[in-house]
């Protein structure tokens, strides 16, 4: 009876299919030997693996059946991840100003999209999940220009928030679109024939 501690070896942990930019690392690996166990080799393996990934807007979808395998284990670990559209996970040095700048909007837009969460614009916590805006379900006949005018944002802004969507003039109905409507009339882009 005894305990063996094995130093982590990055070659021991593999993940053949992973989202772009994702990293895995073996944090710790312990093998426990049990003489009294009736199984074939009497060895139990425990390990901690870290999966790190900062998804981009274009990565919003459900990733099912991701697999990590450890060379000394027979059973792979299978897991799923959902990257939610129009959401942002707060990082250590983020502020509402820096997040808003990344998405080409004003910090009050982010603040007003999170009324239950952000009682003060100065209370961001690392790991918090913020709404960037609203989800709009596209309707038959919607176009980029129509939605740009309707929500008071530029077509470029809509496309930047929805890189997974078609760039064709007419957008299919029933799609989830992230929209950060411009609530301040002075900041809305000028559109011929429309006055705010």
């Amino acid at each position: 009876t005894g305990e063996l501690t094995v130093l982590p070896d990055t070659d021991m942990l593999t993940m053949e299919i992973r989202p772009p930019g994702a990293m895995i690392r073996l944090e710790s690996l312990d093998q426990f030997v049990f003489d009294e166990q009736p199984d074939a080799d009497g060895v139990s393996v425990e390990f901690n693996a870290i999966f790190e990934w900062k998804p981009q807007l274009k990565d919003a979808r459900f990733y099912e059946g991701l697999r990590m395998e450890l060379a000394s284990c027979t059973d792979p670990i299978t897991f799923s991840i959902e990257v939610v559209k129009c959401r942002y996970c707060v990082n250590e040095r983020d502020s509402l100003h820096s997040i808003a700048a990344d998405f080409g909007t004003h910090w009050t837009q982010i603040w007003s999209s999170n009324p239950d969460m952000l009682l003060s614009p100065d209370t961001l916590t690392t790991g918090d999940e913020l709404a960037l805006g609203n989800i709009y379900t596209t309707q038959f006949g919607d176009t980029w220009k129509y939605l740009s005018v309707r929500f008071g944002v530029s077509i470029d802004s809509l496309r930047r928030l929805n890189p997974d969507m078609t760039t064709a003039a007419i957008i299919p109905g029933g799609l989830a679109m992230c929209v950060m409507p411009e609530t301040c009339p002075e900041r809305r882009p000028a559109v011929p024939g429309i006055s705010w």
Side-chain angles (χ1 to χ4, degrees):
T1 341
E3 180 180 313
L4 302 171
T5 301
V6 181
L7 292 174
D9 179 354
T10 54
D11 293 338
M12 297 176 71
L13 184 65
T14 59
M15 189 172 174
E16 288 182 25
I17 299 173
R18 66 180 98 174
M23 304 289 293
I24 55 168
R25 73 174 189 274
L26 194 56
E27 188 84 348
S28 64
L29 174 69
D30 296 314
Q31 290 186 0
F32 302 96
V33 180
F34 302 99
D35 292 334
E36 62 276 349
Q37 290 289 66
D39 59 330
D41 57 8
V43 175
S44 174
V45 177
E46 291 182 10
F47 68 95
N48 290 325
I50 305 295
F51 175 83
E52 292 179 344
W53 180 40
K54 184 175 180 183
Q56 304 301 308
L57 289 171
K58 66 182 181 347
D59 299 319
R61 66 184 175 98
F62 190 72
Y63 295 82
E64 190 172 14
L66 298 172
R67 295 166 45 110
M68 269 192 235
E69 296 186 47
L70 188 64
S72 59
C73 295
T74 55
D75 296 327
I77 295 167
T78 303
F79 61 100
S80 300
I81 297 172
E82 182 177 10
V83 180
V84 182
K85 192 167 196 165
C86 219
R87 305 294 281 183
Y88 180 85
C89 185
V90 176
N91 293 298
E92 189 175 337
R93 296 180 186 200
D94 281 339
S95 68
L96 286 182
H97 290 278
S98 66
I99 296 168
D102 286 347
F103 294 98
T105 191
H106 195 267
W107 70 269
T108 55
Q109 164 59 42
I110 308 285
W111 188 36
S112 64
S113 293
N114 295 278
D116 297 334
M117 185 175 194
L118 299 176
L119 301 176
S120 163
D122 302 318
T123 57
L124 287 184
T125 305
T126 300
D128 280 352
E129 185 181 301
L130 299 178
L132 293 174
N134 302 307
I135 295 290
Y136 168 75
T137 303
T138 59
Q139 306 298 310
F140 178 77
D142 279 348
T143 65
W144 289 101
K145 184 175 181 175
Y146 169 77
L147 295 176
S148 168
V149 171
R150 178 175 182 186
F151 295 113
V153 295
S154 69
I155 292 173
D156 287 343
S157 176
L158 284 174
R159 286 188 172 148
R160 189 172 53 250
L161 288 169
N162 299 281
D164 57 316
M165 294 181 68
T166 179
T167 57
I170 296 178
I171 303 167
L175 300 179
M177 174 183 266
C178 181
V179 177
M180 295 173 79
E182 184 52 69
T183 55
C184 179
E186 290 79 29
R187 291 179 43 91
R188 288 185 170 205
V191 178
I194 303 288
S195 60
W196 307 113

